[in-house]
Amino acid sequence: MERILIGQRSEIVIDRGLVSGDVLPSRSSRDLVAVFTQPGAAHIAELVAAGVTALSVRQMVLPDRDTAKTLGVAATAYEWLAEMGMSRHGTIVGVGGGSVTDLAGFVAATYLRGIEVVYVPTTLLGAVDAAIGGKTGVNLGGKNLVGAFHHPIRVVVDLDILDQLPEELKREGMAEALKAGLIGDRALFAHLESAGMEADLNVVVSRAISVKAAVVGEDFRETGIRETLNYGHTIGHAVEIAAGVPHGHAVAMGMVAAGRIAEEMVGFSDADRQRQAIVKLGLPVHAEGVSRRRVLDVLAQDKKRDASGARMVLLRSIGDPVVLAVSGQMIDMGLSSIGVG
Ligand SMILES: NC(=O)c1ccc[n+]([C@@H]2O[C@H](COP(=O)([O-])OP(=O)(O)OC[C@H]3O[C@@H](n4cnc5c(N)ncnc54)[C@H](O)[C@@H]3O)[C@@H](O)[C@H]2O)c1
């Protein structure tokens, strides 16, 4: 079993067959455990619930995907927890993709001013990104507009579960894993570059989590180095909203656009290599038919924007990110490179 620590707060364990054992860290008294899950992961939540040691274990299946991430669903969850008598000594377990862990984490951060939470991510994106780093939240008009930082005490990543994911869900996660390689692990990038979707999941998961854990460990809240995790996400997020494409696809296109801008601004010489690695993973590099006006409107509303213009993560070289203010002209050039006209 591999174990990665984020400070003293959080441990991430990676292995096979973990969901059929007890996913909770051992401690003396644990009366109630509340398991949150989603339709696509409910069968895994059953296994998790059967394996934990507690006086009583209850389960709630949330609505699927981001329809789970609302204040209304959070309110239903609080009432459910209050009715069962959940105290500060209980534990919430989120079993599912990022929408479940975001909601479960938000509920855990706020119920009784914060109780223990454990995540069992069941998507690759959840394992390498959403479950790591302590960001929780719900959507309110904008995505993740309401949230809190609350680290899970433990994240349990079962590679057997991730191996069985449908190809498209796996590809979504590969986009974030590739991002992790690009910002902080040349060997991970090289592995994905050569193996594409045949990459060794053990290597991908462990190395991608290590990159995020290292960044988050240094920078608990989103300042400084943590911003580098947004690589590909400034333009990517705008394309995601404007074009309604899946998050991983949008991040892939966002990285291509950032690559073009970095060529111009900081002399990045591996933009072609990056593009080829994205293509090899079966992720898109073009967003034809998307309105530039619409993308620019979303960018203008981006909550991460500051007074100096859009801040973007750019690569000086693979593994060497820098965060810079980027002019409208540069953004236009980036958008042109992904066919947004
Ligand atoms: N907190 C963070 O730092 C962070 C980072 C990145 C993304 N996120 C959030 O994560 C969410 C997206 O997460 P996601 O992509 O993991 O998807 P998701 O939770 O929306 O789930 C996607 C789909 O996969 C299904 N599913 C889950 N596990 C499965 C399995 N093992 N087999 C088959 N189907 C399964 C689900 O039922 C759902 O239909 C977004 O809300 C995003 O905002 C959060």
Side-chain angles (χ1 to χ4, degrees), residues 162-174:
L162 303 182
D163 263 342
Q164 290 159 25
L165 280 172
E167 195 77 350
E168 273 314 307
L169 268 182
K170 208 183 265 185
R171 210 185 307 283
E172 289 283 299
M174 287 294 191

Side-chain angles (χ1 to χ4, degrees), residues 105-225:
F106 178 69
V107 168
T110 45
Y111 181 78
L112 296 178
R113 299 194 183 87
I115 67 172
E116 182 178 84
V117 68
V118 170
Y119 294 156
V120 182
T122 63
T123 63
L124 183 56
L125 183 137
V128 301
D129 194 2
I132 316 296
K135 277 191 187 180
T136 76
V138 295
N139 305 326
L140 187 82
K143 203 154 157 62
N144 303 320
L145 199 70
V146 178
F149 282 91
H150 188 64
H151 270 287
I153 184 165
R154 183 184 241 195
V155 180
V156 176
V157 181
D158 188 329
L159 295 167
D160 286 339
I161 301 289
L162 303 182
D163 263 342
Q164 290 159 25
L165 280 172
E167 195 77 350
E168 273 314 307
L169 268 182
K170 208 183 265 185
R171 210 185 307 283
E172 289 283 299
M174 287 294 191
E176 293 290 355
L178 186 71
K179 177 204 76 179
L182 284 160
I183 63 167
D185 185 343
R186 287 166 158 273
L188 171 58
F189 173 78
H191 180 54
L192 288 167
E193 179 183 38
S194 64
M197 288 297 289
E198 303 308 314
D200 180 341
L201 218 48
N202 202 340
V203 171
V204 170
V205 166
S206 138
R207 297 194 81 115
I209 290 178
S210 297
V211 169
K212 184 158 185 183
V215 167
V216 167
E218 276 188 45
D219 188 2
F220 179 47
R221 285 171 195 274
E222 189 156 1
T223 53
I225 187 178

Side-chain angles (χ1 to χ4, degrees), residues 11 22-30 53 116 118 153-154:
E11 75 165 351
D22 190 345
V23 299
L24 303 181
S26 53
R27 67 167 155 87
S28 49
S29 67
R30 186 177 276 110
T53 311
E116 182 178 84
V118 170
I153 184 165
R154 183 184 241 195

